[in-house]
Amino acid sequence: MSEKLPPPRIAILGARGIGRVHARIFQALGADVCAVLGRDQASAGQAVRDLSDSFGIAAVAFSDLKTLLSQPLDGVSICTPPVHHFEQIIAAFDRGVPVFCEKPLFWNDSWNDNWNEPDWARKLASLQDHSNRRLFVNTSNAFLIAAVSDQLPPAETVTQFAFHFHTQGLYRGRDIAVDLLPHALSMLLGCLGERPLSDVLMQVERYGCQCRFSYGGCNVAFDLRQGPDLDRSLGFVCDDVSFQRVQEGEGMNYKVCLENTVSGERWPSQDPFAAYIAEFLDHCRNGGVDRFDEAALNMRLMAQCLKP
Amino acid sequence: MNDDSLIARYRYGAQYVGDFQALRSDIAAKTFIPHQVEFQPPPRGRKICWLDCPYCYGGSAHDDGRRLSKSRALEVMAQIAQGGVKKIIFAGYATDPLNCEYIDDLLRATIDSGQIFGFNTKALKLSEAFLGQLSRPDIAPQSYMSISVDAGCNEVYNAVHDVRGNAKLYDRVLQCITRAGAARRANGNLFDLSATYLINGRNHDVAQVQRFIRDFKAAGCNMLRFAFAQPPRGIETADGVVPTADDVRLYGEKLRPVIAAADSAACTTMLVDADSDHDIYDKARTVPCFARFSYPTVGFDGWLYHCSQSSAPNFHGMAIGDLNSDDFWPLLYDYDGERLGDYFSACGLRMNQEGCRCDRKEHVLNARVIASGAFDDLVVK
């Protein structure tokens, strides 16, 4: 009889926003969400209480990353602001701990006004070359593509690709693009694969960003918006085929579908978030190839879009 | 007549911490001095205890063969005394403190230092040298010997302790305690001599309890404490070894009047149901854990542990450090005093992962410190 393995021990860095969702999904997938990092002890403690009250998660609170990473962990989930991602990923790699990182892979707020190509490139190279690199970045919406891949036109024939993502997020202006471009790019990559990107036109408003560019002969348009009054919506168009994401149910019981906006026909999808975290947990247990290359490609395209 | 502090201690009411705010300050500044240090003297031979009691909390202990040498043990004892620790408790984690070839030297060093000593033992053997130490006139007040008996005759003793055959171990223990009682009388009752009785399905008979009371009063004990066996860590117990909550109620109703009737000025007899009193029945642990600051423990392998219940090699993952190579105080103070919240979180995480288990004393201490509110901003309740 095989011995039952203990659940993977996961720490959540920043558990009061999207990290709360990470914690819930990790737990639902059988992981032991054992620790939380907050900006201080009070914040971390509040997150721990919330996780306990909401999901019965018994985690402990840390305010110091070094102390947290000195605990026996099988993985960390980084849900802090993007400006902290790089240092936290490196710290985890240095301790040999696999990382599941919220998108974007990393970003400095100052780059919005003062693009620093050497700094950006150095950081990407540091991650790429790290001897303990085991990295997943949450661009999980690309999983949606799998649900309708046989409904899409052949990638090489596509000349128009549009993607919209409207949320009630709190970012404004250019930060909306920093927050949502990774999703848009992961959908593009899922549909069309890697191509040369050129002729970027970025239009930024308080509650949204429009980004247009040429992608190896395909005209691409992203419509990314965040605001308190927006209806949440995600959809994409490949030439004359159009789908939107539809959620059935709520909370722990929700299901995700893609709906053809013309015919109304629906295709059920894996919950992209859960599916990607499940892949990460499998990687924590069994090793294998990480998702750095995919994350790095997404990051390069993002930098091309956002460079002033 | 026994004083109130003795009775309080045997009711798990010892005041390990007087001022909780001061404790916090002393922890942060690394100036705290533990109320006591518990010492698990290394056992002789490869079988680390005399008995294999089925309720023993140390039943799942590992033994990697390492032992704290006599010379190093005495060095560490001297460090502890020089640092101001006033009390040394000799006990065992899956071991018995008297099953140590240099226990007489450890006791001598404790008394020489003016420290209070305590023994928690089965007392199957007492050497002449040990009895000689017990007869000394310079024993510190509040020193004690507590002998775990759990029976009133040989047959029940063997049944409770899973001893096969007809060995007369009850008689042997009674003889040892009688000799210790004589030593106590010889020096004017300078230490307390108590016998304890963990009630379970094998020994709850009234006549058994009455005989235990009679025998150990006569042996010179001034305290007899009855309690209920706790679920041990990491091992399954047979039926009857650990009473259920219903058993506790039934045995308590039956035996409480018998025990109360035996209480006297010369020998306090009492039944303590700490699990009900403190709502800790079958609870694994109370965290955050403050044991390190109140009663850190030297294990039989020479490692320094948080407490007596986690003092075996299988707890190295959460231990404080190795006294074979490092000194006592540097190890005890080796933590980040400026980030106590993280310290307690890290300890709690390790303890959850290592699966340690509080005894009643530890549950009660941790609960009291938490309830004090002195650490509210550092710990998540």
Side-chain angles (χ1 to χ4, degrees):
Chain A
M1 190 165 67
S2 63
E3 192 178 345
K4 188 181 176 188
L5 293 172
R9 294 161 298 197
I10 302 295
I12 309 287
L13 314 190
R16 297 184 64 187
I18 189 67
R20 191 172 182 276
V21 181
H22 282 226
R24 174 174 61 79
I25 295 175
F26 270 108
Q27 187 202 35
L29 293 171
D32 173 13
V33 178
C34 61
V36 161
L37 181 78
R39 64 178 177 277
D40 53 37
Q41 200 65 29
S43 172
Q46 197 169 337
V48 163
R49 275 188 291 274
D50 174 52
L51 294 180
S52 173
D53 294 345
S54 301
F55 311 122
I57 290 172
V60 297
F62 289 87
S63 60
D64 178 51
L65 178 62
K66 187 178 169 191
T67 309
L68 181 145
L69 289 173
S70 66
Q71 309 311 310
L73 294 170
D74 297 305
V76 297
S77 179
I78 296 179
C79 305
T80 53
V83 67
H84 300 307
H85 287 186
F86 175 75
E87 282 75 16
Q88 291 175 335
I89 294 170
I90 291 290
F93 285 174
D94 287 347
R95 297 288 304 192
V97 179
V99 172
F100 186 89
C101 185
E102 257 305 325
K103 45 72 190 172
L105 175 55
F106 57 83
W107 200 257
N108 279 8
D109 297 340
S110 63
W111 293 346
N112 290 341
D113 299 319
N114 299 298
W115 176 246
N116 188 336
E117 182 86 19
D119 186 29
W120 174 85
R122 179 188 60 77
K123 285 179 171 165
L124 197 59
S126 299
L127 296 176
Q128 178 168 340
D129 297 339
H130 200 290
S131 56
N132 293 336
R133 192 194 79 205
R134 295 174 71 184
L135 179 69
F136 284 56
V137 177
N138 181 26
T139 48
S140 58
N141 278 322
F143 271 82
L144 293 169
I145 301 295
V148 292
S149 57
D150 57 354
Q151 305 295 314
L152 299 175
E156 59 277 13
T157 68
V158 176
T159 58
Q160 300 288 333
F161 181 89
F163 172 83
H164 80 269
F165 198 6
H166 301 168
T167 79
Q168 294 181 347
L170 300 174
Y171 291 109
R172 298 292 176 262
R174 201 173 181 83
D175 287 339
I176 295 174
V178 174
D179 189 40
L180 298 183
L181 263 177
H183 284 307
L185 291 166
S186 71
M187 296 290 280
L188 178 67
L189 286 164
C191 284
L192 303 187
E194 184 179 0
R195 295 185 182 186
L197 185 154
S198 61
D199 304 326
V200 176
L201 182 63
M202 176 73 80
Q203 186 178 351
V204 178
E205 298 167 357
R206 177 167 170 73
Y207 292 105
C209 296
Q210 312 292 322
C211 183
R212 297 173 190 282
F213 54 86
S214 172
Y215 194 61
C218 176
N219 294 318
V220 175
F222 293 156
D223 172 17
L224 311 173
R225 300 185 201 180
Q226 292 191 350
D229 303 324
L230 286 176
D231 291 332
R232 294 186 183 91
S233 175
L234 181 152
F236 66 98
V237 178
C238 260
D239 285 342
D240 57 353
V241 184
S242 172
F243 292 96
Q244 65 179 359
R245 182 185 187 277
V246 177
Q247 185 169 315
E248 297 175 345
E250 288 190 343
M252 297 295 287
N253 300 314
Y254 82 95
K255 292 179 181 172
V256 177
C257 298
L258 276 184
E259 182 181 85
N260 187 306
T261 58
V262 176
S263 68
E265 194 174 359
R266 292 184 176 188
W267 285 266
S269 167
Q270 290 179 287
D271 174 358
F273 211 159
Y276 206 44
I277 287 180
E279 273 197 19
F280 174 70
L281 287 173
D282 182 65
H283 177 83
C284 291
R285 290 188 185 98
N286 304 314
V289 179
D290 73 354
R291 294 293 199 96
F292 174 80
D293 288 344
E294 169 185 316
L297 176 57
N298 192 305
M299 188 69 175
R300 289 189 188 96
L301 297 176
M302 178 171 164
Q304 281 187 265
C305 292
L306 287 173
K307 275 194 267 192
Chain B
M1 179 177 293
N2 291 327
D3 63 24
D4 290 344
S5 80
L6 174 70
I7 294 171
R9 278 183 277 134
Y10 276 80
R11 287 190 180 280
Y12 304 100
Q15 294 299 314
Y16 294 102
V17 181
D19 181 335
F20 296 104
Q21 286 294 347
L23 173 68
R24 175 173 172 152
S25 302
D26 287 341
I27 291 172
K30 303 187 179 185
T31 54
F32 73 91
I33 296 171
H35 177 271
Q36 66 196 38
V37 170
E38 304 201 2
F39 213 100
Q40 319 273 10
R44 307 166 205 263
R46 297 181 65 181
K47 184 176 184 303
I48 60 177
C49 193
W50 284 321
L51 300 173
D52 298 303
C53 307
Y55 54 79
C56 177
Y57 55 69
S60 59
H62 296 175
D63 176 21
D64 61 8
R66 291 184 71 184
R67 300 287 185 269
L68 184 62
S69 69
K70 175 180 171 181
S71 60
R72 184 58 183 159
L74 291 171
E75 282 176 9
V76 170
M77 290 282 288
Q79 292 169 7
I80 293 168
Q82 286 159 11
V85 174
K86 292 184 166 38
K87 188 173 183 180
I88 303 293
I89 303 299
F90 296 102
Y93 187 85
T95 60
D96 191 290
L98 299 189
N99 185 26
C100 169
E101 62 184 14
Y102 56 81
I103 189 62
D104 312 334
D105 301 285
L106 295 177
L107 178 56
R108 179 185 299 111
T110 306
I111 299 174
D112 287 349
S113 300
Q115 293 167 299
I116 300 167
F117 69 76
F119 278 89
N120 298 321
T121 174
K122 297 286 186 195
L124 286 170
K125 291 179 187 169
L126 291 183
S127 69
E128 288 301 326
F130 186 86
L131 286 166
Q133 293 300 319
L134 290 184
S135 305
R136 284 174 57 165
D138 53 348
I139 289 174
Q142 295 196 359
S143 293
Y144 74 86
M145 274 192 76
S146 175
I147 296 88
S148 165
V149 182
D150 314 328
C153 68
N154 288 311
E155 293 74 19
V156 172
Y157 189 97
N158 292 353
V160 169
H161 299 99
D162 267 2
V163 177
R164 294 177 184 173
N166 300 315
K168 297 186 175 179
L169 297 183
Y170 178 83
D171 291 347
R172 192 198 294 183
V173 173
L174 184 57
Q175 187 179 41
C176 286
I177 301 315
T178 302
R179 295 172 72 199
R184 178 173 184 262
R185 282 191 294 276
N187 66 12
N189 300 333
L190 287 178
F191 65 95
D192 293 307
L193 184 61
S194 73
T196 62
Y197 194 112
L198 284 177
I199 303 164
N200 68 10
R202 299 177 182 182
N203 64 6
H204 62 89
D205 179 63
V206 169
Q208 195 67 208
V209 166
Q210 288 174 322
R211 182 169 169 190
F212 162 81
I213 292 171
R214 182 198 66 196
D215 286 350
F216 283 86
K217 275 187 171 179
C221 291
N222 62 319
M223 165 67 77
L224 302 178
R225 185 186 70 185
F226 296 81
F228 299 99
Q230 275 183 289
R233 174 195 177 278
I235 52 174
E236 293 291 321
T237 57
D239 285 348
V241 170
V242 176
T244 65
D246 284 343
D247 291 339
V248 167
R249 183 176 52 76
L250 290 171
Y251 300 159
E253 287 173 0
K254 178 172 67 173
L255 295 177
R256 191 166 280 110
V258 176
I259 294 165
D263 190 32
S264 68
C267 181
T268 301
T269 59
M270 61 185 184
L271 172 61
V272 180
D273 180 8
D275 293 352
S276 300
D277 293 346
H278 301 283
D279 193 22
I280 51 176
Y281 181 78
D282 207 13
K283 181 180 179 185
R285 70 192 68 84
T286 299
V287 288
C289 177
F290 296 89
R292 173 189 195 143
F293 311 110
S294 297
Y295 33 72
T297 299
V298 180
F300 61 78
D301 60 347
W303 278 61
L304 183 61
Y305 297 91
H306 288 258
C307 71
S308 58
Q309 312 303 95
S310 61
S311 52
N314 44 312
F315 289 109
H316 281 182
M318 57 176 263
I320 297 170
D322 186 357
L323 287 166
N324 295 291
S325 53
D326 295 304
D327 290 338
F328 180 85
W329 293 100
L331 277 185
L332 191 65
Y333 290 153
D334 184 19
Y335 58 86
D336 187 347
E338 295 178 357
R339 291 185 179 276
L340 287 181
D342 281 358
Y343 164 77
F344 284 115
S345 287
C347 277
L349 190 57
R350 294 272 178 163
M351 288 169 180
N352 288 337
Q353 288 170 349
E354 298 287 336
C356 63
R357 193 174 183 98
C358 287
D359 68 8
R360 288 159 176 149
K361 169 188 75 180
E362 291 158 1
H363 277 302
V364 171
L365 169 73
N366 291 338
R368 281 187 180 143
V369 180
I370 293 165
S372 76
F375 293 82
D376 268 4
D377 60 320
L378 298 180
V379 301
V380 180
K381 286 185 180 177

